[in-house]
Amino acid sequence: MCGIFACHHHPDVISFKPKALQLSKLIRHRGPDWSGNFIKNKTIIAHERLAIVGLDSGAQPLTNEDDTLALGVNGEIYNHVIIRHQLGGSYKFKTQSDCEVIIPLYQKYDIDCPNYLDGMFAFVLYDAVKDRMIAARDPIGITSLYMGRASTCPGAVFFASEMKSLSEVCDDIIVFPPGHVYDSATDKITRYFNPSWWSGDRIPSTPLDYKAIRTMLEASVRKRLMAEVPYGVLLSGGLDSSLIASIAARETLKAQSIDIDGDSLTGVDEKGNLSGAASWPRLHSYAVGLPGAPDLVAAQKVAKFIGTVHHEHTFTLQEGLDALSDVIYHLETYDVTTIRASTPMYLLSRKIKAQGVKMVLSGEGSDEIFGGYLYFGAAPSKDDFHSETVQRVKNLHLADCLRANKSTCAWGLEARVPFLDKAFLELVMNIDPAEKMITKDRIEKYILRKAFDTTGEDVKPYLPDEILWRQKEQFSDGVGYSWIDCLKDTAEKFVSDEDFANPKPKWGEDVPTTKEAYWYRCMFDEHFPSKTCASTVMRWIPKADWGCAEDPSGRYVKSHLSAVPQ
């Protein structure tokens, strides 16, 4: 990942430049490898780079031959090799960066250019000839992006990878919506991503195809091994991360067997073949938890089975508590679920980066698209089940994608999420939801498990049966049940009954319902006191009208094997 900061139509951009660079520096953790900036007319783009593809020549902002187009990007474009071939030499590329293809796509397709990208991205592009800026974010919001305006600077529009870069200068900040593009020529944000499954009211009926699920997830993982630096996998021992790790281990071995031309571009070609990927001889996997945590035990079994070089990291309850304020600062949220799960991920990311890794694969998105959270077992009908999966996918950018992106980027580590591949989403979200429902005969995510069950096939198993059919553990539970208990107990000490009974007036109707939530909100306000900052936060809660407990922990769902009495 990288960090971008931009301002378009600043009345005195030259004088503003030192401030802009200071605000960009606030997100240098996202891109510690190099910094760059572009300034022309009344526009400035600043960039903090994490170099993963095009190491020697991909410094940003990227520009065209005559410097009339300037581009700042945070993300990865997996089909950049294909796009370069399709352009057929009509554009003279200056770098081997996967992101440079956005410039000729803009020249050819204008603001429809994001539709031609396969990847995770947030970008700003300035057209100096037209004095025009466009900005766009990937379809699901894997990559973070914020947009702001300032009453002290009428007519200007600001963009940044994280809210902290805008909070000092903007009094109006929004989360830039995924799948949308902004055009300064109209000053409007419009949706470019319109998949067939986007309306939760349209209930799909496509028959189930196990082979297609397996094949397409493998292709999705393969794309995401596009890297010129060592990479690894996050391995919790749950189904999702274990499948991704298993596939990645196989694909890494395949990639190492390909004879690579030294001038070859890193990426996937039209046939889906990966070239130029860099890795250690064996894939490295990483797990985190309290000593003896369920996830650590399961992760060890998976790592041994798939043959990764496994790294197990533990943390103490006190280390987790000590990190909370920093976690909230980096995540820019006070959502209970996100903070609980992000703290171990944040601690692990630092350990991973210290070992020389810049990119990891992660399993986010599976629970949303397959209806894998245990509360989905209470869905009253397949229509309701499907509508909830669609809504959860739409909210990913405010929950699990935010966690994966910012927990890792805090240490200059990039997380890629194969389950949220556009093609894979198109397949899975169009499957008849009756096939996904949790029943007495079908465990959650049954069809995903079955797709990778090689029983009766002449194929090496992907996972041990005990992992392939292991019940869902939400990450904040799996790292050790005492983690959540500790957070609740500590909140009781920090938040008095009197404080809890008298929420702060500026919170309005967004009142914390537990002392733990109250505690997090106070820490958030210390970092981001402006009311406009709080307006960017969404709280993750199970579906109350399905009889779900208010606490988001999976242990409060009756079907959990270690359910907490209610």
Side-chain angles (χ1 to χ4, degrees):
M1 285 295 175
C2 302
I4 53 178
F5 174 86
C7 180
H8 177 58
H9 268 198
H10 194 284
D12 190 357
V13 73
I14 299 300
S15 297
F16 179 64
K17 180 178 178 180
K19 185 64 177 180
L21 298 183
Q22 180 187 25
L23 295 171
S24 181
K25 188 177 179 180
L26 291 175
I27 52 174
R28 187 161 293 167
H29 50 268
R30 298 179 67 91
D33 294 337
W34 197 249
S35 300
N37 67 85
F38 173 94
I39 188 166
K40 187 168 285 191
N41 300 328
K42 296 181 177 181
T43 295
I44 184 169
I45 300 174
H47 190 269
E48 308 293 340
R49 188 183 185 215
L50 180 67
I52 294 181
V53 175
L55 300 184
D56 297 329
S57 63
Q60 295 192 37
L62 298 163
T63 60
N64 62 344
E65 272 197 287
D66 60 5
D67 291 341
T68 56
L69 295 174
L71 173 71
V73 191
N74 170 201
E76 306 293 340
I77 309 302
Y78 304 123
N79 63 335
H80 77 107
V81 173
I82 298 171
I83 293 172
R84 285 173 184 253
H85 291 165
Q86 290 173 342
L87 290 170
S90 61
Y91 176 82
K92 186 174 181 180
F93 285 91
K94 297 167 71 173
T95 76
Q96 289 192 317
S97 167
D98 54 297
C99 296
E100 192 178 355
V101 296
I102 295 172
I103 294 177
L105 286 178
Y106 165 74
Q107 292 176 318
K108 188 173 183 179
Y109 299 110
D110 202 71
I111 63 169
D112 197 36
C113 64
N115 261 320
Y116 295 85
L117 301 174
D118 181 8
M120 57 179 188
F121 56 85
F123 73 79
V124 291
L125 184 150
Y126 179 61
D127 185 332
V129 174
K130 297 180 180 179
D131 189 26
R132 177 195 194 192
M133 175 169 274
I134 70 166
R137 191 177 181 191
D138 67 67
I140 304 301
I142 301 165
T143 304
S144 60
L145 184 64
Y146 294 81
M147 177 177 173
R149 299 182 190 270
S151 57
T152 57
C153 198
V157 59
F158 300 78
F159 300 92
S161 295
E162 295 184 8
M163 180 180 63
K164 57 181 63 68
S165 292
L166 301 181
S167 60
E168 186 178 338
V169 291
C170 297
D171 46 25
D172 179 10
I173 303 173
I174 65 167
V175 175
F176 194 94
H180 284 71
V181 59
Y182 168 80
D183 183 3
S184 68
T186 61
D187 197 33
K188 291 182 179 179
I189 301 174
T190 55
R191 170 169 288 283
Y192 70 81
F193 181 61
N194 293 289
S196 60
W197 51 268
W198 196 251
S199 171
D201 296 333
R202 174 191 160 273
I203 309 303
S205 57
T206 304
L208 179 61
D209 185 338
Y210 289 121
K211 185 176 180 180
I213 292 174
R214 185 193 299 183
T215 301
M216 294 197 72
L217 187 57
E218 288 177 324
S220 177
V221 171
R222 190 179 311 124
K223 291 179 195 176
R224 284 156 181 80
L225 298 183
M226 178 184 82
E228 295 170 15
V229 296
Y231 58 79
V233 290
L234 300 182
L235 180 57
S236 72
L239 174 69
D240 307 326
S241 67
S242 297
L243 276 179
I244 298 302
S246 178
I247 297 169
R250 296 175 184 226
E251 294 296 334
T252 296
L253 288 175
K254 289 180 186 177
Q256 289 171 346
S257 67
I258 299 173
D259 186 20
I260 302 299
D261 182 342
D263 296 324
S264 176
L265 289 166
T266 301
V268 175
D269 62 19
E270 288 88 345
K271 296 181 180 179
N273 298 315
L274 176 68
S275 66
S279 71
W280 285 306
R282 288 168 62 197
L283 183 68
H284 286 233
S285 57
Y286 302 89
V288 66
L290 298 169
D295 278 359
L296 293 181
V297 176
Q300 285 179 349
K301 293 177 182 177
V302 174
K304 183 176 181 180
F305 189 85
I306 65 177
T308 60
V309 178
H310 190 57
H311 306 269
E312 178 179 296
H313 297 288
T314 59
F315 69 100
T316 67
L317 293 174
Q318 190 58 52
E319 286 172 334
L321 293 174
D322 290 345
L324 279 176
S325 181
D326 287 343
V327 168
I328 290 171
Y329 172 74
H330 280 287
L331 263 67
E332 303 172 326
T333 186
Y334 46 85
D335 172 57
V336 170
T337 305
T338 305
I339 294 167
R340 286 176 175 179
S342 294
T343 304
M345 197 172 191
Y346 171 86
L347 295 172
L348 178 61
S349 295
R350 188 175 191 180
K351 295 279 190 179
I352 295 173
K353 186 60 185 289
Q355 295 177 26
V357 173
K358 286 187 175 182
M359 184 273 283
V360 290
L361 301 188
S362 192
E364 276 72 25
S366 174
D367 288 312
E368 285 74 16
I369 64 178
F370 286 101
Y373 293 113
L374 296 184
Y375 80 86
F376 271 89
S381 70
K382 74 171 190 175
D383 292 13
D384 292 301
F385 188 103
H386 176 70
S387 296
E388 179 67 0
T389 61
V390 172
Q391 191 57 50
R392 283 299 180 192
V393 172
K394 289 181 177 180
N395 288 341
L396 266 169
H397 69 290
L398 297 168
D400 281 18
C401 284
L402 180 149
R403 169 175 57 81
N405 180 275
K406 293 182 179 178
S407 296
T408 53
C409 283
W411 303 108
L413 180 68
E414 175 176 287
R416 299 181 182 177
V417 285
F419 281 109
L420 297 180
D421 180 80
K422 274 201 304 186
F424 191 69
L425 281 169
E426 188 66 22
L427 170 72
V428 176
M429 295 301 288
N430 275 305
I431 294 173
D432 186 336
E435 301 283 5
K436 299 180 182 180
M437 293 188 71
I438 303 170
T439 69
K440 61 182 179 63
D441 299 315
R442 287 194 170 194
I443 191 174
E444 75 281 351
K445 290 181 287 194
Y446 174 87
I447 62 174
L448 175 62
R449 301 171 193 272
K450 192 66 177 175
F452 286 88
D453 186 343
T454 59
T455 302
E457 299 181 47
D458 187 20
V459 176
K460 180 183 176 182
Y462 286 81
L463 294 172
D465 280 351
E466 63 187 297
I467 301 297
L468 186 63
W469 299 99
R470 180 190 178 202
Q471 188 182 59
K472 164 71 182 172
E473 288 279 13
Q474 288 171 205
F475 185 53
S476 52
D477 287 330
V479 297
Y481 297 138
S482 57
W483 170 234
I484 292 178
D485 296 336
C486 173
L487 289 171
K488 291 182 174 183
D489 292 344
T490 306
E492 286 286 339
K493 298 174 184 177
F494 277 92
V495 181
S496 69
D497 292 341
E498 182 179 358
D499 285 340
F500 184 63
N502 295 280
K504 297 181 181 181
K506 74 171 186 177
W507 293 347
E509 295 182 359
D510 188 16
V511 178
T513 56
T514 66
K515 287 189 176 181
E516 184 185 2
Y518 190 107
W519 186 31
Y520 298 157
R521 180 61 194 269
C522 289
M523 282 190 269
F524 177 90
D525 286 352
E526 288 177 4
H527 294 300
F528 308 107
S530 171
K531 189 174 181 180
T532 189
C533 294
S535 67
T536 65
V537 176
M538 182 201 77
R539 288 188 286 172
W540 194 104
I541 55 174
K543 199 167 177 63
D545 57 0
W546 286 3
C548 300
E550 184 176 340
D551 193 294
S553 168
R555 284 188 296 156
Y556 288 84
V557 179
K558 293 179 181 179
S559 61
H560 192 282
L561 296 177
S562 301
V564 175
Q566 297 179 42

